[in-house]
Amino acid sequence: MLDGQHLPINPLDTRKCSSGFCTSATDVRPQVVLVPPKKVIPIIFIPGIMGSNLRMTADRQALLKKKNNIAWRVDSTSENAHFMALNAADRQKQLDPDKTSVDTFDSGHSETGNPKETTFERNKAVNLSSIDMWHVSNAPLVLLLPDPPGVTPRKTHQHRALERGWGEVLYDSYGELLQLMEKQLNDAFCELNEPSIWWKKNVLDISPQSWGAAPENQLKPIRADELKSALTECWFPVHAMGYNWLQSNRASGSATANRIRALIKKYADAKFDCRKVILITHSMGGLVARAAMHSSIGKIEDLVLGAVHSVMPALGAAITYKRMRCGFEGGPANIPKRVLGYDGHEVTAVLSNSPGGLELLPTKNYGNSWLKIVFDNTTLLSLPQKNNPITEIYKIQNKWYQLFNPEWINPAKLQNSQISRTFEYIDLAEKFHKTISNYYHKNSYAIYGSDKERLTWGEVVWQFDQDVSSLNSENFAVSSDSENGKIKFEPINVLHIPKFNFHNISILSPSAHLVPPKEQGDETVPIRSANNQDKFCKAIFRQKGYEHQDSLKYQSSVSATFYSIIRIIQEMNWSKT
């Protein structure tokens, strides 16, 4: 059966019309009208930090003399090359929370800032050319089908996907999962009323412990009859909702909540029974989702059936401090490092002016002693000591290990961008984390890395190369900072320092370097932060084998996600008004 003979009803067309074809009497092939069920549970994907595409205002585009208004789009090779060439000042201008917004599709009418570029060209990374491979027994995806021939204007597969927000997110990281959820949640029983091969291979009758499920959760495998019961008489359109990750997660949570309310209304206006959504999050997207649901922020808990959080930095991550002082990981030729920030001043120029980025710093609940100064096996200083990193680390000044170098904060010399405003953002971050610290949806599932081969900075350690234990090392004056983890200090005359064993050395020239990561995790979120979810979630999956950004590309993570989705769907009570 040819694709052109599948005649879908546009699910959001309140007229509920379909088209047909007049053919010759000898053409006896059936024309199939695909009618989606009345019941709808949208799946909403919320990406991590830097996982949402951003565009800038017209005035900022003019200031930067850019040909387009792209502020952040990692899927674009040309934009990556452009971004790698930016200095810290232009990075600050381009990634300004007050001059950026989500690069939405807006039904094809988005401004691109370039009259020669269409919105489809802007979103060419959303490649659905493999859609034919999703067909099993000639049963295509209902929601992403193109309009029948003759419809004007005719919407393509890509157009349908972009209307669902798929172009708002980093498609290279998330596109496979979006496609897989769209296919397997809406076409699970396409083979003679049997579960698809994919479900049999990856989820059904498999012990969740094989994906790292905690034994104490006592999770049972999903049976074929459970799967059929969960997915029957309902369809699950997959949407992606980006957010401006430069702004606070509180603001992003409120904005996402409003989008979800509007989406539910859109389905309801089309005469579908749509009462709740399911949230799938990655990394910082989990904080956004929790804010969206919280009773004092987004207030949509009653519209959410459940949430699946992948690699969420529940209590923040010490690597945020590391990156603001030493840049992103990787060598000089590492492209992601060059794009995201090679040196400390490049990262600081963006994150110190970003409320959302600062909310990834370790919270008060992260614990004490995660920032250390050592020589050999002797700890010279350990902070925080009173579970307050805000006053003990983030706001300290005139110490060589301080988080914020005032000279790095505002290289663009923009108005109101100074350390006092950054400290205000730190205070807001503290209030935000206090608000959501003990809040999770009652149907929450957590998936995260706990891998000894994927070490991360659970604590940040500065190692001295000389014994300075008899000196007040925290007050040393910096001679040079590589901004990649190596600091040299001004020479110190130790001849007249009591108790200092100088062994005929009168001048000491100490230096310190950043110690490599030692805590298991996913190379970004340490286990001490991820573990905090255990006491709030219905089930947790501690996994191995993947790096943070690409976690949702791995079979164990994907299987755990689909398992969690089915268990959440089983909580839906359609008879309850």
Side-chain angles (χ1 to χ4, degrees), residues 41 78 219 233 267-268 374 382 424:
I41 301 179
S78 60
L219 301 182
E233 297 183 359
Y267 281 109
V374 305
S382 181
E424 291 175 1

Side-chain angles (χ1 to χ4, degrees), residues 7 50 110 132 157 164 200 210 256 285 294 356 389 410 506 538:
L7 312 174
M50 297 181 289
S110 302
D132 289 337
H157 296 101
R164 303 257 214 88
K200 291 179 179 179
S210 65
T256 301
H294 196 278
N410 190 18
S506 60
K538 268 195 168 182

Side-chain angles (χ1 to χ4, degrees), residues 276-444:
K276 294 180 182 289
V277 302
I278 295 174
L279 305 182
I280 312 297
T281 76
H282 182 253
S283 192
M284 193 169 86
L287 304 181
V288 174
R290 288 163 61 196
M293 295 182 286
H294 196 278
S295 60
S296 68
I297 305 177
K299 306 176 183 179
I300 61 164
E301 179 179 322
D302 60 333
L303 300 180
V304 177
L305 186 57
V308 184
H309 299 300
S310 176
V311 297
M312 177 168 58
L315 299 178
I319 199 172
T320 309
Y321 170 101
K322 178 265 173 191
R323 288 170 173 171
M324 294 183 71
R325 286 300 307 266
C326 310
F328 273 76
E329 301 70 58
N334 184 281
I335 292 178
K337 181 183 180 80
R338 297 297 298 171
V339 173
L340 301 174
Y342 180 76
D343 296 321
H345 77 279
E346 291 181 346
V347 178
T348 297
V350 175
L351 291 191
S352 66
N353 297 292
S354 164
L358 294 175
E359 287 168 357
L360 293 182
L361 286 164
T363 71
K364 287 184 174 180
N365 292 333
Y366 191 87
N368 285 323
S369 303
W370 59 264
L371 177 61
K372 295 180 179 179
I373 301 172
V374 305
F375 172 72
D376 283 347
N377 295 320
T378 301
T379 298
L380 308 179
L381 181 66
S382 181
L383 297 171
Q385 298 176 359
K386 300 178 181 179
N387 284 318
N388 193 345
I390 291 87
T391 58
E392 297 183 70
I393 299 176
Y394 307 148
K395 286 189 173 183
I396 61 170
Q397 299 183 65
N398 302 316
K399 303 289 184 183
W400 64 266
Y401 54 84
Q402 66 194 46
L403 174 60
F404 299 108
N405 183 332
E407 296 178 358
W408 296 356
I409 289 178
N410 190 18
K413 302 187 183 306
L414 298 178
Q415 187 176 7
N416 299 324
S417 294
Q418 58 271 329
I419 197 167
S420 59
R421 188 181 73 163
T422 298
F423 285 169
E424 291 175 1
Y425 289 160
I426 289 290
D427 291 337
L428 292 174
E430 179 186 10
K431 293 178 182 179
F432 171 73
H433 281 292
K434 183 178 181 180
T435 299
I436 71 164
S437 61
N438 295 321
Y439 174 75
Y440 284 75
H441 192 281
K442 64 179 181 179
N443 290 329
S444 290

Side-chain angles (χ1 to χ4, degrees), residues 174-237:
Y174 306 129
E176 292 179 11
L177 180 68
L178 294 174
Q179 295 177 61
L180 194 60
M181 289 192 297
E182 182 68 33
K183 168 63 180 175
Q184 298 302 337
L185 293 175
N186 294 295
D187 206 7
F189 289 84
C190 56
E191 300 172 354
L192 300 176
N193 209 30
E194 285 289 318
S196 71
I197 295 174
W198 185 90
W199 279 102
K200 291 179 179 179
K201 180 180 178 181
N202 294 287
V203 179
L204 292 182
D205 298 317
I206 299 175
S207 171
Q209 280 71 40
S210 65
W211 316 313
E216 60 267 26
N217 295 145
Q218 298 182 339
L219 301 182
K220 297 180 180 180
I222 292 176
R223 304 185 310 271
D225 62 318
E226 290 183 290
L227 180 69
K228 188 171 185 179
S229 176
L231 301 183
T232 297
E233 297 183 359
C234 184
W235 50 276
F236 307 89

